[in-house]
Each structure stands twice: as C-alpha cells, then as structure tokens.
Amino acid sequence: MRTRRSEIDSALSTPSVIADPSAVRRLSRERARLSRVLSHADAVSALADDTAAAAELAAEDDSFAAEHDRLAADLARGRAELTELLIPSDPIDDEDALLEIHSGEGGEESALFAADLLRMYQHYGESLGWRLEILDAQLTDLGGYRSVTVAVRGTADRPAYGTLKFEAGVHRVQRIPVTESQGRVHTSAVGVLVMPDVDAGQVDLDPADIRVDVFRSSGPGGQGVNTTDSAVRLTHIPTGIVVSCQNERSQLQNKEQAMRLLRANLMALAAEEAADESTRMRREQVRSVDRSARIRTYNFPENRLTDHRIGFKSHRLDEILNGRLDELEAALHADEISRRMAAVGRENR
C-alpha cells in the first residue's frame, strides 16, 4: 500500500494526469483510501511499541500495570479495526453515486413517499458534506415523484456509492395517505436503485451500440419546458438498457446526462455479472417495485423503521426521515464487514 501510494503521488505530478480531471479524481480517491489504512496502521504500530514498553515497566513496578492494561485494550481494538480496513472491498465503493427513486404500488401516495425519501437522502448527504444534483425528475400534481435521479458526489472519508449502496431495493411505507378520507392506513412501495457514477474512460462504450431518440419534455415545468424536442432517450442495443433525461434546457445537455446514466447502468451490470451467484443474489437491486420484495418498512403509526435484511429496528422514524441515518448505516456496514470476514475465512480454509 505504501508503494502504491508513492506511485500515485508520482502519477499526480505528471502533465498527462494533471490534464485529465477524471484521472486526478480517481487517483485522489484511491490515495485517500490508502492513506486512511496506512494512518491506522501507523497508529497500531505505535500502540504496539507503547504496550511493549509498558509491559517491561509493569514487570518492575506494579503501578504501571493499569497503564499496560489500558494500552493493551486500545491495541486489541486498533488491530480489529485495521483488520476490517484490510478486508478486500468492492473496487467501486469509492465512486460517486447515481441514486434513482421510482414510485410503485400505491399511486399518488407512493409518489409522495418517493419525495420523502429524496428529502431524507438530501438531509443525510448535507450532514456528510456531500453534493447532490437532481439530473432528471418526473413530478406529480401533488408534489410527489414518479421518478427522480440524483447525482451524489461524496467525500474522501465517506464515498457516496459505498455508503448508499445499502439503500438499493424496495422501501415499503405504512401510513394514512393525504388522499385518504376515512383515516385508514395504506401500504405503498417505492423502489430505490443505486449505481456508481463512473467516468467515461472507465466504461468501454461504442457509439454504434447506442440508439438516440429525442422527444418533447413532459410534466410540470417552467419556461422552456414542453416547448422543444430537448429530451433525450438512449437505448444500449446489446443490453437493452434504456435511459432518458429531460431536465436540462438543451438537447446536448440532456444527452450528456443520459450518457452518464447509461455508463452507470453498464458498470452496475458488469459488476453483477462478475460476482458469483450467491453474492449477486444478495446484492441484486429490485427493479420492479413489488411490496413483497421489500428491504425496509417505514411504519408511521408506530414511528418504527425495520430493515428486514439485518433485523434492525428503530422507533425514531421521524428522525431517520429527517436524515439521521448514521445508526442504520453503521449497522448495515457492520453486517457487510462480518460477511466479508466470513468469506475471507472460507477462502483461507
């Protein structure tokens, strides 16, 4: 890791890399990840030296025994954390993310909850210093979203894709809709997709494989909307993947954003195909919004959130919807770490 960081430092000073913003961004992210691990390793090494010195002093003077025990506990904790950092991770965890939220069963109520989820992610991202940009949105008359796509740029300490990937799947909501006159609790579903936002150089994309269609933007909008054929739909012929964008004013801008979405879809597809069957099934992101395929339930009458994958429950639903996702994300991350450690153990047997 130290050798690789030195190689990156050399590369970042070369004119060819300096002239390529995407290469600078990619190498800088890798360097930040390596530096996190190496900084922790240095701290563990220093703790090991201090613990050894305290053991020698404790052998001569009992008053140093308590200090030795404290250092030994810190050393054990530090080594465990370093082991976690050294477990092989998904190579795309450090990427930025594209987040798609789609309404499903439940009609207008589902679209309104899609808007609630978007606000939740926006508040959470703001608390982490992320930058979020809405690329495409289809609004409903009551202010909900039939679908919305958001680009999320993370930080070196908290990369967006590695954090948000746990949000992929079907989110079920149980509450009294604003459109319900009898006060009955309804169940609706919203689908969330999370893909890595990769640079053009990271995906081999042949222009001959892409069919481009233009059409007139639809839905509520301001000046310049619904007046020109500026919306763009791209179809990747080999895979059948279809993406579209209509939020920007010009056809060129919409095409650039649609290409961004297409690259992300292709990267996600390649990662899924490269994974083994058990991992692929575990990570599969549900693209049809079916309540029976839920990963999480938001129960408003009981102010309760349940993540069905890990059995996590919280009666702070109101706080979570306001962006307080730290406890939930920490639990999901811990579950992933335990699964990775188990996988490494199986490979070593």
Side-chain angles (χ1 to χ4, degrees):
M1 285 187 170
R2 295 188 195 279
T3 300
R4 175 58 183 160
R5 186 170 64 175
S6 296
E7 292 172 353
I8 292 174
D9 288 339
S10 297
L12 286 171
S13 63
T14 60
S16 60
V17 171
I18 293 173
D20 185 351
S22 65
V24 171
R25 187 162 58 250
R26 187 168 61 253
L27 289 172
S28 296
R29 286 178 188 153
E30 184 182 356
R31 190 189 189 284
R33 179 178 59 82
L34 292 171
S35 293
R36 286 198 301 273
V37 178
L38 293 173
S39 175
H40 207 93
D42 290 340
V44 168
S45 180
L47 265 174
D49 291 342
D50 291 345
T51 303
E56 293 180 4
L57 292 171
E60 301 174 1
D61 186 344
D62 289 343
S63 63
F64 287 98
E67 178 68 7
H68 169 264
D69 291 345
R70 182 187 66 79
L71 288 170
D74 290 344
L75 178 60
R77 185 165 49 251
R79 282 175 169 163
E81 292 170 354
L82 181 58
T83 299
E84 289 187 6
L85 289 173
L86 290 170
I87 292 172
S89 61
D90 193 325
I92 58 177
D93 275 359
D94 289 337
E95 301 289 347
D96 292 329
L98 291 178
L99 177 72
E100 292 185 9
I101 306 173
H102 300 271
S103 63
E105 295 183 19
E108 186 68 50
E109 164 63 7
S110 174
L112 289 171
F113 187 62
D116 290 338
L117 287 184
L118 174 61
R119 282 191 291 272
M120 179 181 75
Y121 294 130
Q122 287 174 324
H123 290 320
Y124 182 52
E126 290 168 2
S127 72
L128 297 176
W130 291 354
R131 288 197 299 169
L132 287 82
E133 172 192 5
I134 294 179
L135 301 182
D136 193 47
Q138 297 181 34
L139 285 160
T140 65
D141 293 335
L142 293 182
Y145 286 100
R146 291 188 184 89
S147 70
V148 58
T149 302
V150 184
V152 186
R153 175 164 289 186
T155 62
D157 291 334
R158 291 297 295 274
Y161 181 75
T163 302
L164 289 176
K165 65 182 181 181
F166 300 117
E167 298 303 304
V170 174
H171 297 238
R172 185 178 69 167
V173 58
Q174 297 171 325
R175 68 181 178 183
I176 301 172
V178 295
T179 54
E180 168 60 49
S181 59
Q182 303 298 319
R184 293 172 297 186
V185 174
H186 287 223
T187 300
S188 303
V190 170
V192 175
L193 302 176
V194 184
M195 298 168 292
D197 187 7
V198 295
D199 299 318
Q202 295 175 257
V203 178
D204 185 15
L205 199 53
D206 187 346
D209 290 337
I210 304 172
R211 187 175 72 241
V212 182
D213 298 304
V214 297
F215 58 98
R216 188 156 297 182
S217 301
S218 61
Q223 184 179 2
V225 176
N226 308 323
T227 59
T228 61
D229 291 336
S230 60
V232 174
R233 180 186 300 110
L234 301 181
T235 303
H236 188 247
I237 298 170
T239 62
I241 293 174
V242 179
V243 298
S244 62
C245 187
Q246 64 176 14
N247 265 34
E248 303 296 337
R249 289 181 174 271
S250 77
Q251 188 180 119
L252 179 60
Q253 289 174 314
N254 280 322
K255 184 178 179 181
E256 290 176 352
Q257 299 290 28
M259 286 292 293
R260 189 175 179 181
L261 296 175
L262 181 57
R263 288 195 300 269
N265 273 274
L266 290 172
M267 174 65 84
L269 179 62
E272 182 178 329
E273 291 177 344
D276 61 71
E277 182 66 17
S278 62
T279 301
R280 183 180 66 80
M281 292 299 292
R282 207 167 43 233
R283 292 184 182 174
E284 189 176 40
Q285 298 187 11
V286 182
R287 291 177 181 269
S288 61
V289 187
D290 178 359
R291 290 182 309 208
S292 64
R294 68 191 183 277
I295 62 164
R296 194 175 295 163
T297 296
Y298 303 74
N299 186 304
F300 277 69
E302 299 180 14
N303 196 36
R304 184 184 73 238
L305 177 140
T306 303
D307 193 289
H308 304 286
R309 295 164 295 181
I310 59 174
F312 177 92
K313 290 186 179 181
S314 172
H315 287 275
R316 298 187 301 105
L317 176 58
D318 51 346
E319 295 181 25
I320 290 172
L321 286 172
N322 200 36
R324 299 288 297 277
L325 289 170
D326 303 81
E327 184 181 3
L328 172 59
E329 294 298 331
L332 288 164
H333 177 71
D335 175 72
E336 182 187 43
I337 290 295
S338 66
R339 286 189 283 107
R340 285 182 178 174
M341 292 184 73
V344 171
R346 287 193 298 269
E347 291 172 1
N348 292 336
R349 284 202 296 268

